[in-house]
Amino acid sequence: MDDPATMPRAPLGLPLPHDSATLHVTGEALYVDDLPEPPGLLHAVLALSPEAHAEILALDLDPALTLLGDNGLAVTARDIPGINDVGPMSGPEPILADGIVAYVGQPIAAVAAPELARARAAARAVRATYRRREAVLDIPAAMARAQYVCPPHRMTRGDAAAAIAAAPRRLSGTFAIGGQDHFYLEGQVAMALPQEDGGVRILSSTQHPSEVQKMVARVLGLPEAAVTCEVRRMGGGFGGKETQPAIFAAIAALLARRAGRPVKLRLDRDDDMTITGKRHDFHVRWSAGFDTEGRLHGVEMELAARAGHDADLSPAIVDRAMFHALNCYRAPAVSVAGYACRTNTQSNTAFRGFGGPQGMLAAEEMIDAIARDLAIDPIELRRRNLLVPGDATHYGQRIEHMALPRIFDALLDGVGYASRRAEIDAANDGPGFIRRGLGFAPVMFGISFTATAYNQAGALVHLYTDGSVLLNHGGTEMGQGLYRKVAQVVAAELGVPPGRVRLAATSTDKVPNTSATAASSGSDLNGAAAADACRKIRSRLADFAARAHGGAPDEIVFADGHVRGPSWSFDLATLATQAYRARVQLWDSGFYATPRIHYDRARNTGHPFYYYAFGAALCEAAIDILTGESRILRADLLHDVGRSINPAIDLGQVEGGFIQGLGWLTSEELVFDRDGRLRTHSPATYKIPTARDLPPDFRVRLLEGADNPVATIHRSKAVGEPPLMLANAAWLAIKDACAAAAGTRHVRLDAPATPEAILRACGRLPAR
Amino acid sequence: MAMDDAIVFFLDDRLCRIDGIDPNTTVLEWLRGAAGRRGTKEGCAEGDCGACTIVVGTPDAAGGLSCHAVNACIQPIATLDGCEAFTVESLRDDTGALHPAQAAMVECHGSQCGFCTPGFVMSLYALLHDGTPAGDEPTRRALAGNLCRCTGYRPILDAAARMRELPGTGRDFTAGIPARRARLDALARARGLRHQGGGRSWYAPRNLAELDAAIAEAPEAVFVAGATDLGLEITKTHRRFDALIHLGSVAELQGIRDAGSHLDIGAGVSWRDAHAALAALWPGMDELIARFAGLQIRNVATIGGNLANASPIGDGAPALLALDATLDLWRAGRRRSVALSDFFLGYRRTALQPGEIVARIRIPKPGAGTRFAAYKVAKRHDSDISAVCACFAVELGADGRIAACRIAYGGMAAVPLRLHGVETLATGRTWDEALDEDMVEALAGAMDPIDDLRASAAYRRMVASGLWLRFAAEHRDAAPLSETRVHG
C-alpha cells in the first residue's frame, strides 16, 4: 500500500492554515457583497408570496413602478425570455411564480433600483390578488394524499416481512426528525454584469458555478458559452448553495439584461430563510425482527421526507437516506421505502449529509430500541450487528473494508465507559432534577455522488517562467479548506513550497462542466484532477530536462522548488524558463473520473460508493427534568480521514460537523404556523449552537495510521459530511437520560431534542 | 435652534465629521458604504449573530475610555458621537503585524468560511483589552453573541486563550488612553448633539433640562437608549423615524448609587455596567444578566429601555418585579414614582405618559432572610429569548416562616406577570415540602400562558410552576448545583 506514488511528501500532511486565514482575520477577504460596485449598479429585492398555495389572479406592479422611478424596473415570470425553470433534476421549477404560488415566501416579482431602500419599498408595494387553494403543509397530510415530487421508491433485499415474522423477537417504532436551516453566515447573493457581446458575467456565492451558468443561460435563452459564473469564496454553504443560488443569479441576470445595467441581489436574513429550502424533516416508521442475541433478521423501514413544493434534489436526498437507513448494520432481509412528499413549503434541498443523517438516525433509533428491549449494552449490540467484509449492503454493494471494529476499540480505549455507565446509573437513582445518559453512535458514510455522472472533475494548472504556479479547479471554497488542500496536492506534485501556488477564483470559463462542490467529494475529485494536470506538466518538464541536461526522465526529482537530475540541479524557475524557450508547454488541464462506481437503481444493485468514511462518538448528556434543558457534558469523537492532506483542516471539519449536527438534533427547530408561514426566519428565533454549546469536555481525534484502502488522492478520505452524523451520539445520550427520567426502557424522543421534546420523552408532558 | 451639528467621532485615529446623514442610518451601513470598510459583515441585521461586531471606546467616569464590543448593524450612526470606533481593519499596526486576536485566530485555525471572523476578532479584541479575566467561562460569556456555523467554536476558544500569550503587536486599545480621552473631550459641545439629515432629526440631550427642551421641540419624537430594539425596527420593518431623542447622554440617567436601604440605578445604565452591582447583591442575577443577550447587546442595552419598552419577553422586568423595584419617572420637569408592579398595563403599554421617561430604578437591598432566584429557560442557553423567565423572592423570618413572597414571570403572557394571588398563599407559612406542593399547584393554576414558536402553553405552565422546586432545592435545601442545573 505504501507505494511511492502515495507516500506523503511535503507539504502533504501539514496542518497549514486556511488559504485565506489572514484575509479572514483582517477583513480583507472579499465576498460578493464586498466587491467594488460597478457604476450604474442596481440593487434588487424580491416580492414574496404571502400565500401557501394559490392562483395569482392579478399582479399589480404599478405602485412599485411608481416608487421605483425612471431608473428602476420590475420583472415577473412573463419577462423571462428563456425558460422559467431551474430544476436540477426535473422541472419546471420556476424562479418567479407563474400563475400559481406554491409556498409562503415564493418570489412573485423582482424589483431593482439604484438605492436598496427604494427597491425594498417597491418590493413591498407589489400587489397581488389570489384565489386560495388547499395547502398541504406537512408530511402526514402529503402522505394521506399520496402527493409526492417523485414516485415512491423501495430498496429490497430478501423478504423482510417474512424474516421479521419468523424472527424470535419483533419491535417497531415511529419518530420524527426535524429539518434544519443552513444558516450560512453569508446569505444568498449574486451580482450580474451584462457583457458587451450580449453575454452575462455572474458573481455568485455558489457551490455549483456550472449550474448557475447553465440555469442563467436557460432563463435568458442564451448559449451556456455566453454566461460565465465566478466564485472566489462563500461565507458558508453546507449544501444550501448547491441549487438555491441559481434562483437568485437568474433573477439578477434577468433584471440586468432588461436594465442593461449590473444588478446585485443580496437576500437579507429573513428573506433568505423564508425563501430557500432546508434540510428535509422526516417521519420514520421501522419494524425489526431479531434474535435474543440482538442480531437483526429483518428490517422494514419507511422514510417520508418533506420535499416542499418542488423536487429540487429531493429524489436523490431520499435515496441517500435509504442507502444509510441501516448505517453500518447487517440484516439478511431489508425493505426500505422512501417518499419525497410534495408540500406547500420551501423546496427542501441539499444539506451536509444529503439525507444520510436522517437515514442513519433512523438506524440508530432502531438499534437503540432493540438494545433496550433486550437489555444488552448498546455498544455490544452494535458490534454484533456490524457489517463485515464480504457482506452486501441492502443496496447490493459488497463491503470490502470495515474500519469500525478498530474505531470502536480505539475510541473506547481509556474513556471509562463501564465505570461511567455504573456511576451515571447510580447517580440517576439519587436526588435532584438532573439525569444523565450515555450515547454511542458509529458512522459509515458512502462517498461518491450517487448520481454517477457527477463524479468527475477538472483542473487547470499554469506554471509560469518564474516558477510560480496558478491553480484553477472546478471546486469551490466555502470554508472547508478545499483550496488549501488542493494547493497542497499541487505543491507536492510540482515540488514547490505551498506559498508558490496561487489560487484563482473558480470560474466556468477556466474549468467547465463541473460538478457541485458537494457530497464531501471536493478534495477527492479536484485534488485528483489537479494532480493529473501537474503530472502532465512535470512529465513534459522531466522529458525536456533529461534531453537538455542528461539522465532519464524518471530519475528526475521535483522537490523544494528545485528540479534535480543525476548530475545537475536547477531551481524550478530556471528550468521553466529553459523549457519555455525550448517551446515546451508549461501548463495543462487535468481530469478525474472516480473509477469503479455504478448503480442500477431499478434493480438495486451495484457499487454506488467508491469507499466509506467511518467514525464513532461517545457522548454524555445531562437533562433537567423540571425544564427539559439539556447539555452535552462530554464528547469523545474518533474519525477516519484516511491519510490526511491537512490534519488541521480535517479536524476542523470533524469538530464543526459535530457541532452543526448537535444543533440539528437539539436547539435548531423550524416552526411553521397553520398557514404555512415559517415563524423561525432569523437568528432571534432559530437557534444554532453558540460557544456555550461546545461540550466542556470535548476530545476529538483523527484515526491514526489510517490509509484509504482505495486509491484516492494520496489515500486521503472525504471529510465534509460524515462527522455531522457523529452528533447522533449526542441525541442518543439525551434519549438515554430521558429513559432514566421516565423510568422506562424505551422512550420516544423526536428530533430536535428541544427542552419541550425532552419533557415529552420523559413523560412529563403529554405526547403531541 | 439650529439643528446642524455634525456627528463627530474618531474612526481609528481619523476624525470623522458627518453632516446631514439620516439618523436612521446604522453604523454598519455607514461603515460598508461611505467609509468603505467592508470587513465588517451583515449576517442578520438584528444583533443576533455578531458578524458586524466593532469596538467602541467611550469616555468613562474615571477619566479613561471603556472598551465595548457592539453590533454595528443596529446601532444608529449618531450613537458614535463623541466616541472612538474600531473595526477589523483597525487592528494591524503600521508594520502590518497582526493583533494577537488576529494572529491567534490564524494560528488556532479559528476561521473556516471567514464570514463571522471579523466579528469574532473584534469580540476577542474587546475581550483582551476590556479587563475581562482569562478563563473558559468568561470567554464563553464574552463570545455568546457571535455565531459561527463552521468551526464548532473549539479553535476560537483556543484562540481566545492563545492571544493572551502572544506578543502585543497591532493596535492596543489600552495604549495612549489619556491622549485619546483628551481628544474626545476636546470634541465636547456647549449643548447636546442636534443633528439633522434627510429631513429627520436626532437629539442627544446631555441633561434633563435639554431633554425637556428637545421634547418640547419635537413632541412626536421617539425615545431611544441602547437602540437594541428600535434598531430592529429600522433594519427589519424598514421603519424610518422622523425624530429620535437619544437618552444615552442624559447625565441624570447615569450612575449606580448605593442609597443605603436600596440600590439606585440610572435608567440609562447598560446591563453590562449594572451586571456586577446587581450580581453582588443578588447572586441570582449573575446568570440571568449573562444570558439576557449577547455581550454586544448588553454593552448598550439599558435597564430603563428594557422596562420602558414593555416587551413581554424582556428578562429585566420579571427580575425587577420580584425584587420589588420602584421607578422614578420624569416628564417636563416633574418627577414621580411608580412601583414596577403598577407599571405594566398591557401589551407594550405602560404607565408612562407621552413625553415621560424612566429616569431611575430603585431596588430595596436584600436582607439576611432574602432568598432570590432568577431562572431563564430557552431552547438555547445563551443569547436566546426566554420561553419562561421565572423570578422568585422570599423574605424568610427567623422563625422559618415566609414573611413576604414575590413571584414574577416573563415570556408567559402579553405583559410581565406578577402573581400576587399565589404570593399570599406562601406568606406566613413555613417553607416546607408541603408548601412546595401547594405552590406548584397554585402557580400552574394561576397562569394561562401563551403558545408560540418558543414553547407550548402546556410546557410553559409545567416549567414555570415546576421551577419553584428548583428554587426550594437551591435556596432552602442548599442542594448542590449538580443536582439542579445541567450547567451546574
Side-chain angles (χ1 to χ4, degrees), chain A residues 40-43 65 68-73 112-115 118 259 261:
Chain A
L41 179 76
L42 303 179
H43 295 273
L65 290 168
L68 287 165
D70 291 342
N71 289 319
L73 77 162
E115 310 86 14
R118 185 190 291 265
R261 293 168 70 166

Side-chain angles (χ1 to χ4, degrees), chain B residues 317-340:
Chain B
L320 293 171
L321 280 169
L323 293 177
D324 207 20
T326 298
L327 306 183
D328 285 350
L329 311 183
W330 174 270
R331 178 176 182 239
R334 274 201 290 280
R335 201 179 279 273
R336 67 177 175 128
S337 290
V338 173
L340 186 60

